[in-house]
């Protein structure tokens, strides 16, 4: 099955009870048993729920995996991966990543005796040097949030496979429409379903997908034991959103390209970070492992003034100033004060998250309106 068919059909069947073509919202916490242990595969909705199961099977198919698990948020999915570890274990992570993941690592699991080392993941020597006998997990985000660096997943997988280290890839920015990390050698794919997958800025949800049965069993155990699952109504919304993922992603990519190209030629703009540019430092890796370059763009302003950045963002008429990304509507955010505030300012600056850095999520509106919005807001500063 091709991707555009899978989003609509994979893992989904007409409802066995009624023939309903659309997966119903099974708004139930529990299921009748004929005798203790004699049930139809569902016992209690923390463990499994038919609406959530349909979504989990659909996501597993989209990522060319075997097992899908959904959670109450993207961070709950990250949390479940980290619960595979124990005190004394070590994690090597991309140094440029979503601020909430960084906070969970450094202020959550580090307190429990798990050590985190952050390295620029395009430098395989830096990864090799950071590995110790206790390294159990490598955490990759690509494209990275917000600097749009691209990590060569296959190159990192060559390192992890040799040493029996788990490789998890946060595929939120790319989505399975643009890249499939399991095929590049990753063991676990993580998504903030909140973003492009659900796609309409109306759901908070996370997901994990893997191929290995033992790993899936360990993750299912964590999912049901910790209980950070999503509800049936949100599962329904995510399933509905995913049915148009391929169409939306096409438009996000087209609009992203036009927006990035416009910004690059603008005299008030300093740097534009978008992996589709030929001279993006990781463009060749992006070309190799992604099918297109997505709708996320970051840019900084000449003069690097925070006041100008704030003025610009509050002047926009269509780009809404808000956290999050990947919805049909265009959003903008100021990473240093919003999504990446938990990263110490010195670290942020080293990564390029400067005072005037602005992140855009190009939505699927008419691109002429997006360009006009950018143009008139840039004139105001
Ligand atoms: O918000 P939540 O569903 O818990 O997902 C967390 C998360 C994980 N990974 C990446 C790459 C993300 O971008 C996010 C959430 N990011 C934002 C809310 C944001 O505006 O960047």
């Amino acid at each position: 099955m091709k991707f555009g068919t899978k989003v609509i059909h994979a893992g989904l069947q007409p409802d066995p009870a009624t023939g309903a073509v659309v997966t119903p919202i099974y708004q139930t916490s529990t299921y009748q048993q004929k005798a203790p242990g004699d049930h139809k595969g569902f016992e209690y909705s923390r463990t499994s729920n038919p609406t959530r199961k349909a979504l989990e099977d659909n996501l597993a198919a989209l990522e060319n995996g075997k097992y899908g698990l959904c959670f109450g948020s993207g961070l709950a999915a990250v949390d479940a991966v980290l619960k595979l570890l124990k005190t004394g274990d070590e994690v090597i992570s991309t140094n440029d990543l979503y601020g909430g993941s960084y906070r969970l690592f450094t202020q959550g699991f580090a307190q429990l005796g798990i050590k985190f080392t952050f390295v620029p993941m395009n430098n395989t020597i830096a990864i090799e040097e950071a590995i110790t006998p206790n390294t159990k997990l490598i955490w990759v985000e690509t494209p990275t949030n917000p600097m749009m660096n691209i990590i060569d997943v296959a190159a990192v997988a060559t390192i992890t496979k040799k040493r029996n280290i788990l490789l998890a890839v946060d595929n939120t920015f790319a989505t399975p429409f643009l890249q499939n990390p399991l095929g590049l050698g990753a063991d676990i794919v993580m998504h903030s379903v909140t973003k492009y997958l659900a796609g309409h800025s109306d759901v908070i949800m996370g997901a994990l997908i893997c191929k290995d049965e033992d790993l899936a069993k360990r993750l299912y155990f964590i999912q049901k034991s910790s209980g950070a699952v999503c509800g049936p109504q949100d599962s329904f919304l995510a399933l509905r959103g995913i049915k148009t993922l391929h169409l939306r992603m096409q438009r996000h990519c087209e609009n992203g390209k036009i927006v990035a190209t416009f910004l690059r030629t603008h005299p008030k703009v300093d740097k534009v970070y978008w992996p589709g540019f030929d001279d993006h430092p990781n463009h060749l890796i992006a070309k190799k492992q992604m099918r297109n370059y997505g709708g996320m763009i970051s840019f900084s302003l000449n003069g690097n003034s925070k006041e100008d950045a704030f003025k610009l963002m509050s002047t926009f008429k269509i780009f809404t100033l808000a956290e999050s990304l990947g919805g049909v509507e265009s959003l903008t955010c100021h990473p240093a004060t919003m999504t990446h505030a938990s990263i110490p300012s010195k670290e942020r600056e080293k990564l390029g998250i400067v005072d005037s850095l602005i992140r855009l999520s190009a939505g699927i509106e008419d691109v002429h309106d997006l360009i006009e919005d950018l143009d008139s807001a840039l004139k105001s500063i």
Side-chain angles (χ1 to χ4, degrees), residues 4 9 14-15 18 60 84 94 156 212 238 271 283 297 319 347 374:
H9 294 288
D15 180 44
T18 62
L84 293 167
T94 332
V156 181
D212 179 79
K271 296 197 174 79
H283 178 68
I297 302 131
F319 282 91
E347 292 302 316
L374 287 165

Side-chain angles (χ1 to χ4, degrees), residues 72-78 97-101 139 141-146 170-173 190-195 203-206 296 322-325 331 333 338-340 359:
S73 70
L75 282 182
V78 182
L97 79 168
Y98 171 54
S101 305
W139 186 268
E141 190 178 290
T142 181
T144 60
N145 181 357
D170 183 336
N171 203 23
T172 300
F173 270 34
M190 177 261 150
H191 279 284
S192 169
V193 178
T194 314
K195 311 290 160 28
V203 166
I204 296 282
M205 191 187 289
M296 294 301 299
E323 300 213 6
S324 205
L325 57 111
L331 296 182
C333 95
M338 294 166 72
T339 50
H340 291 71
R359 192 187 72 184

Side-chain angles (χ1 to χ4, degrees), residues 119-141:
V119 302
M121 284 259 166
N122 276 313
N123 181 349
T124 45
I125 296 167
I127 305 175
E128 301 255 12
E129 281 175 1
I131 291 176
T132 77
N134 295 328
T135 305
K136 295 289 153 51
L137 172 71
I138 293 195
W139 186 268
V140 167
E141 190 178 290

Side-chain angles (χ1 to χ4, degrees), residues 172-337:
T172 300
F173 270 34
T175 82
F177 180 76
L178 297 181
Q179 90 191 349
N180 299 109
L182 296 178
L184 300 169
D187 301 293
I188 302 173
V189 175
M190 177 261 150
H191 279 284
S192 169
V193 178
T194 314
K195 311 290 160 28
Y196 288 104
L197 289 175
H200 296 73
S201 306
D202 50 10
V203 166
I204 296 282
M205 191 187 289
L208 300 175
I209 299 105
C210 66
K211 280 200 222 173
D212 179 79
E213 189 180 350
D214 282 341
L215 180 57
K217 279 188 183 153
R218 289 165 67 203
L219 290 169
Y220 279 128
F221 178 81
I222 293 165
Q223 186 196 37
K224 83 166 182 189
S225 306
S226 292
V229 293
C230 52
Q233 178 111 16
D234 283 356
S235 301
F236 169 87
L237 285 172
L239 271 170
R240 180 155 84 165
I242 288 169
K243 286 179 185 160
T244 55
L245 177 66
H246 55 314
L247 303 176
R248 289 185 284 108
M249 285 309 292
Q250 260 167 17
R251 181 62 75 88
H252 283 297
C253 291
E254 285 163 21
N255 286 1
K257 182 177 182 179
I258 296 170
V259 165
T261 308
F262 166 79
L263 288 171
R264 200 159 131 116
T265 54
H266 199 284
K268 290 189 182 161
V269 171
D270 181 17
K271 296 197 174 79
V272 182
Y273 302 91
W274 181 68
F277 290 136
D278 287 349
D279 58 357
H280 180 286
N282 317 128
H283 178 68
L284 291 180
I285 305 166
K287 208 168 165 179
K288 182 180 73 164
Q289 77 185 15
M290 297 173 74
R291 292 180 273 272
N292 203 330
Y293 304 105
M296 294 301 299
I297 302 131
S298 294
F299 68 102
S300 57
L301 297 172
N302 279 330
N304 193 28
S305 147
K306 188 172 169 177
E307 290 67 36
D308 279 350
F310 278 27
K311 171 106 195 286
L312 188 74
M313 287 186 290
S314 38
T315 308
F316 286 139
K317 298 228 159 35
I318 296 179
F319 282 91
T320 305
L321 177 57
E323 300 213 6
S324 205
L325 57 111
V328 291
E329 60 288 290
S330 293
L331 296 182
T332 183
C333 95
H334 186 250
T337 50

